[in-house]
Amino acid sequence: MVNWRDTLKILIIVAGITLVGNFVGFKVNPIEAIPGMLVLLGIVILGLILAKLVPFKLPSIVYISLIGIILTIPGFPGADWFVAQANKVQFLALCTPVLAYAGIASGKDLDEFRKLGWRIVVVSIFVFIGTFVGSAFIAQVVLKLTGQI
Amino acid sequence: MHKPSEWKIHALVLAMVVISEFIGIKSFQVGPGKAVLLPMLYALVIGLMLGPKFLRVVNLEEMKLATPFIGLSVMLLIAKYGTTIGPSVPLLIKAGPALILQEIGNFGTIVFAFPIAMLLGFGREAIGAVHSIAREGNLAIVADMYGLESPEGRGVMGVYICGTLFGAIFFGIMAGFFASLNIFHPYALAMACGVGSASMMAASSGALTAVYPAMAKEIQAFASASNLLTAADGVYASIFVAIPLTEWLYRKFGRKDNVKRAAQADLAAGQEGK
């Protein structure tokens, strides 16, 4: 990981890009979405700090998720406000910059990919389908059995 | 050669985001199902095209510079996911048994992909390739147990590369397709969206939300809770179940001559690639 200053700088840049995408794609006024974005930024920064402080190793995204969950769990002070603000930042608008960076960075894997051969591509497709369908199937059966659907 | 510039990358990403969001969500009919294309997938494809092989907008140095930005931008998305899980905690607790047990469904990859790998004449590559969905944690375990230069390592690396390049696109289209088939309840599909990487989850749960807009909140909550579980248990599932199980299957059903043939085929494919 790069240092704290760079981390913060890049997070703010990504936040800015997301607010623009949030406006173009979902017509949410960036000024209105700023508090929500600040909430998300705050969660990330807290999560990164926790990941540094807590002695046993877990990926920082686990701490970031947990803080996001705790702040918005029904009954937590201000939970409704946090949810209302975060809802102004569309989740699809947050995904687009991630995959834009991933696309630029993954361009270099295209060469590797060309060397793989078609057989591994076919196997990969079945890996994806198998994992997805396996999970959906068990979820469906258990949801039915427990009377949730 | 000019100095790689971070700002150039951010400016490109901004432009890609504006173009992609402007195009918006598109869906089209594929056989009995519907495929959903999301702005994030356009951004991914544009990004892939910017490299030296196609449009030559970015060079190798700039591609490398962009790598840590993926991890940082994903953190904002994860925070957002946290805020969608929180309000749904009561619902998640009710669906708790399904959420936990569907993790076992991740071994579905072995059921589906192992026979195919055997049919295609794979050797021990199959163990690395089919034991899991090959995200970073699984890659690390195979590297640790067999080494990345081993056949098992080549297998897991191959699926990892395919997943990085096309996983999000494939998951997005697959989820939209299954949603329109109406075999599985949207909640079950939402849990299935969480089996892979964050971008696979984003693309598939996004496609699902486009089909069932009224259930958007529940879908995102189930998908991200399932993804969080996979992040926590995926490594242990690989070590204690998936790898021993594929090893056993391979000893039982793997053909002895596959190992040699696969090695030769890979060599041939490698030379073709160059």
Side-chain angles (χ1 to χ4, degrees):
Chain A
M1 169 85 60
V2 273
N3 62 46
W4 283 102
R5 236 186 87 174
D6 282 346
T7 303
L8 197 61
K9 184 182 84 184
I10 292 158
L11 283 172
I12 292 170
I13 293 168
V14 176
I17 294 173
T18 305
L19 288 178
V20 175
N22 201 39
F23 173 64
V24 177
F26 303 91
K27 310 282 171 280
V28 183
N29 182 341
I31 308 285
E32 261 177 56
I34 281 178
M37 189 53 92
L38 288 177
V39 167
L40 297 180
L41 269 173
I43 294 172
V44 171
I45 292 163
L46 262 175
L48 288 173
I49 293 172
L50 259 184
K52 273 265 179 303
L53 293 182
V54 176
F56 53 85
K57 283 252 175 254
L58 270 178
S60 46
I61 57 165
V62 172
Y63 292 104
I64 295 169
S65 305
L66 287 178
I67 297 170
I69 294 170
I70 293 167
L71 286 184
T72 53
I73 215 162
F76 187 85
D80 290 342
W81 186 83
F82 285 121
V83 175
Q85 297 313 315
N87 278 347
K88 292 194 183 127
V89 184
Q90 290 290 319
F91 117 97
L92 285 176
L94 281 158
C95 300
T96 313
V98 177
L99 288 195
Y101 286 113
I104 293 178
S106 307
K108 60 185 189 307
D109 295 329
L110 279 174
D111 264 349
E112 288 291 314
F113 177 73
R114 280 157 50 92
K115 292 182 202 150
L116 286 178
W118 62 272
R119 297 181 316 146
I120 192 76
V121 180
V122 174
V123 169
S124 299
I125 289 172
F126 280 89
V127 165
F128 301 150
I129 298 175
T131 316
F132 186 85
V133 173
S135 169
F137 177 75
I138 295 190
Q140 174 86 11
V141 170
V142 180
L143 284 171
K144 265 252 152 60
L145 288 178
T146 54
Q148 300 298 314
I149 53 173
Chain B
M1 275 291 272
H2 57 96
K3 204 170 141 278
S5 156
E6 194 188 312
W7 291 106
K8 178 177 160 187
I9 294 170
H10 298 308
L12 280 171
V13 166
L14 177 62
M16 289 151 75
V17 165
V18 170
I19 294 169
S20 306
E21 294 292 357
F22 185 75
I23 302 172
I25 301 170
K26 302 272 178 225
S27 64
F28 58 92
Q29 203 71 27
V30 184
K34 218 176 185 186
V36 182
L37 294 181
L38 300 167
M40 67 179 105
L41 302 181
Y42 317 145
L44 178 70
V45 173
I46 300 172
L48 288 172
M49 303 290 284
L50 292 179
K53 278 272 174 309
F54 299 97
L55 299 173
R56 297 188 197 168
V57 177
V58 294
N59 57 37
L60 192 65
E61 292 302 307
E62 287 160 340
M63 289 174 169
K64 283 185 186 150
L65 204 59
T67 309
F69 303 158
I70 309 169
L72 286 168
S73 54
V74 108
M75 286 175 186
L76 285 171
L77 178 62
I78 300 290
K80 167 76 183 175
Y81 271 116
T83 65
T84 65
I85 296 179
S88 305
V89 162
L91 176 73
L92 294 176
I93 291 172
K94 275 206 263 172
L99 255 176
I100 291 164
L101 290 172
Q102 59 81 30
E103 286 292 303
I104 299 168
N106 294 3
F107 301 127
T109 170
I110 303 171
V111 179
F112 278 64
F114 184 80
I116 298 294
M118 290 301 105
L119 277 177
L120 292 174
F122 272 81
R124 292 189 61 84
E125 287 90 347
I127 296 167
V130 311
H131 87 278
S132 74
I133 197 158
R135 296 329 301 156
E136 282 74 5
N138 315 108
L139 196 68
I141 291 156
V142 174
D144 193 51
M145 287 175 77
Y146 304 96
L148 280 183
E149 299 305 315
S150 66
E152 296 85 348
R154 280 202 302 276
V156 74
M157 202 59 205
V159 180
Y160 176 75
I161 292 170
C162 290
T164 307
L165 286 173
F166 306 113
I169 298 176
F170 192 84
F171 262 77
I173 293 173
M174 176 165 62
F177 186 78
F178 273 102
S180 54
L181 288 184
N182 264 323
I183 313 171
F184 296 115
H185 190 274
Y187 290 179
L189 288 175
M191 292 181 198
C193 292
V195 295
S197 64
S199 48
M200 289 172 184
M201 167 182 66
S204 49
S205 59
L208 214 52
T209 333
V211 181
Y212 301 107
M215 287 188 220
K217 282 199 170 58
E218 291 86 350
I219 287 169
Q220 283 167 31
F222 279 129
S224 33
S226 155
N227 199 240
L228 193 59
L229 276 176
T230 304
D233 68 33
V235 168
Y236 303 102
S238 273
I239 298 174
F240 295 114
V241 184
I243 291 179
L245 179 62
T246 20
E247 278 275 6
W248 180 80
L249 282 170
Y250 187 76
R251 277 199 303 276
K252 211 154 170 60
F253 301 106
R255 281 160 42 185
K256 297 278 176 288
D257 58 321
N258 271 359
V259 183
K260 220 165 125 193
R261 272 202 297 140
Q264 281 163 350
D266 270 358
L267 204 66
Q271 277 159 353
E272 248 170 63
K274 278 164 202 164

